[in-house]
Amino acid sequence: MNVLQKLVSTGVKTLPRNGLVRHSSHFVYQPDAKAPVEGPTQKMNMFQAINQAMDIALEQNESALVFGEDVAFGGVFRCSMGLQKKYGKQRVFNTPLCEQGIAGFAIGVANTGAKAIAEMQFADYIFPAFDQIVNEAAKYRYRSGNLYDCGSLTFRAPCGAVGHGACYHSQSPEAYFAHTPGLKVVVPRGPNKAKGLLLACVKDNDPCIVFEPKTLYRAAVEEVPVAAFESPIGKADILRSGTDITLVGWGTQIHVLQEVANMAKTQLDVSCEVIDLVSILPWDKETICNSVKKTGRVLIAHEAPLTNGFGAELAATIQEECFLHLESPVLRVTGWDTPFPHVFEPFYIPDKHRCLAGIRKLINY
């Protein structure tokens, strides 16, 4: 088989001028084995599943609004495509380029009882809205003595590595918000989770943030139920059972860990249990700790920097709850404590080679 035939067989349509192929993705997408609910399904990528979830929310709730920068024509990732045409300019509309304004407006809308779905164009841009989200939305129920709340408020934010995003379009800021009582934070791994989590957030009584790994918008394709369904917030998913080591991640990283589990079995004869945390706040302590007590070893991987990344909270809890069951220290494989780089992204992300080296270290401890 020549180079061109090999490229065609692997799905590459065109041959670059220099004859070389650049593989941007650091992961191989692993679709869910089965749909989350029974009934008719449709093949969708992740942005299409998110679009359908917002369509359902707008159809089911006459008060629901979708707004953000450029959402009227579909948004930079096309997640809201066609919604303004279907529901009108009063319900799907653009906002000024002002994240704190978007968040403040969203809080006011939600406080009236309407369903507010606000898009932050990139998770990197959410920081100007940090005060509104952390000091207003998250505390509204508490400081009003439960008279008022910001339930029915959902922020969507594309996050994570994408191959060329550099320091302003690649960050994973989930840990900042996980330190805030009153918020709920989730990260989908693919179309089914994206649709189910978004619909669950829209109905939740607390303000929610959905961090959507942007590299999965088109790379992730699954059979998704056409009907409305919700994925539980606060519940982790065991994607692969194992006996020797627990691998924990979320978002794109879960696909890296599934590939690493295969490599560990083939190269090291190590049986890995792979868990998608799914929900950062609240997180599923019971599922994680039960797995670690069974395997005795755990590796936590995330794209965000090491220091004070959310993996640190998992590691601290595992040490407290599972200490006598551990055969080796808790290991974190993460991004480095530097700004997210551009051309050096491949050296920054916790890819399969770094994770496999971590497994080897834990097994040989």
Side-chain angles (χ1 to χ4, degrees):
M1 182 182 291
N2 62 33
V3 173
L4 183 58
Q5 289 173 322
K6 189 176 293 185
L7 289 168
V8 172
S9 70
T10 56
V12 178
K13 305 286 187 189
T14 58
L15 183 67
R17 292 179 182 177
N18 60 6
L20 300 175
V21 181
R22 178 172 179 263
H23 296 284
S24 297
S25 295
H26 63 285
F27 65 96
V28 176
Y29 179 71
Q30 301 284 336
D32 286 354
K34 57 180 290 188
V37 295
E38 299 293 331
T41 62
Q42 182 179 339
K43 192 174 184 178
M44 301 182 199
N45 61 28
M46 198 167 87
F47 89 75
Q48 291 170 325
I50 291 166
N51 179 277
Q52 190 181 72
M54 290 192 289
D55 189 0
I56 291 171
L58 288 163
E59 184 178 41
Q60 291 183 343
N61 306 278
E62 291 185 359
S63 69
L65 303 176
V66 172
F67 51 91
E69 298 163 7
D70 300 322
V71 301
F73 74 84
V76 293
F77 294 107
R78 323 312 286 162
C79 291
S80 56
M81 196 161 52
L83 296 181
Q84 186 184 77
K85 183 177 181 180
K86 184 173 182 179
Y87 294 101
K89 296 180 179 180
Q90 301 300 313
R91 299 184 64 196
V92 181
F93 50 87
N94 290 336
T95 65
L97 305 183
C98 178
E99 284 74 22
Q100 58 266 55
I102 295 171
F105 176 75
I107 291 167
V109 166
N111 194 39
T112 68
K115 304 284 187 183
I117 305 174
E119 179 183 298
M120 298 290 169
Q121 196 169 77
F122 287 87
D124 314 61
Y125 301 169
I126 203 170
F127 298 114
F130 194 81
D131 177 63
Q132 289 286 336
I133 297 171
V134 169
N135 278 335
E136 303 298 337
K139 296 175 174 61
Y140 222 105
R141 183 194 302 279
Y142 177 81
R143 69 189 182 96
S144 70
N146 205 32
L147 292 175
Y148 307 101
D149 64 69
C150 283
S152 303
L153 168 56
T154 303
F155 293 103
R156 293 181 43 252
C159 71
V162 71
H164 51 264
C167 57
Y168 291 127
H169 298 84
S170 304
Q171 296 176 79
S172 297
E174 65 271 8
Y176 290 100
F177 297 95
H179 196 61
T180 307
L183 293 178
K184 292 183 178 177
V185 181
V186 297
V187 187
R189 66 175 177 269
N192 278 305
K193 276 295 172 184
K195 179 178 177 179
L197 287 171
L198 182 52
L199 287 174
C201 287
V202 168
K203 290 188 177 181
D204 200 86
N205 291 324
D206 292 308
C208 299
I209 305 176
V210 184
F211 286 115
E212 301 164 359
K214 67 180 80 69
T215 194
L216 297 181
Y217 279 136
R218 289 170 173 78
V221 179
E222 289 175 338
E223 290 291 332
V224 181
V226 176
F229 66 93
E230 298 174 30
S231 296
I233 299 171
K235 181 63 179 173
D237 292 336
I238 300 175
L239 302 181
R240 175 178 179 145
S241 295
T243 57
D244 298 326
I245 186 170
T246 300
L247 309 181
V248 183
W250 50 90
T252 307
Q253 194 63 29
I254 206 65
H255 303 293
V256 175
L257 293 179
Q258 291 195 81
E259 184 176 2
V260 169
N262 291 330
M263 295 168 66
K265 185 63 179 176
T266 301
Q267 299 180 28
L268 308 174
D269 194 27
V270 170
S271 173
C272 299
E273 183 146 295
V274 181
I275 301 179
D276 180 3
L277 194 62
V278 180
S279 180
I280 303 296
L281 187 66
W283 67 279
D284 189 351
K285 181 193 299 186
E286 182 180 4
T287 295
I288 300 300
C289 289
N290 285 344
S291 176
V292 175
K293 288 175 182 178
K294 177 179 70 172
T295 65
R297 301 175 180 87
V298 59
L299 181 149
I300 304 162
H302 57 70
E303 290 182 14
L306 175 72
T307 301
N308 291 323
F310 194 67
E313 173 64 24
L314 300 183
T317 300
I318 291 167
Q319 186 273 337
E320 291 174 356
E321 301 290 334
C322 311
F323 183 75
L324 295 179
H325 298 267
L326 290 173
E327 300 290 344
S328 63
V330 179
L331 182 65
R332 290 174 289 158
V333 182
T334 70
W336 304 109
D337 286 342
T338 69
F340 202 103
H342 186 199
V343 296
F344 294 122
E345 178 179 304
F347 304 102
Y348 181 90
I349 53 180
D351 64 11
K352 60 186 179 183
H353 304 294
R354 288 177 59 198
C355 291
L356 184 64
I359 291 174
R360 186 178 282 109
K361 180 179 179 180
L362 291 177
I363 293 297
N364 293 331
Y365 180 80

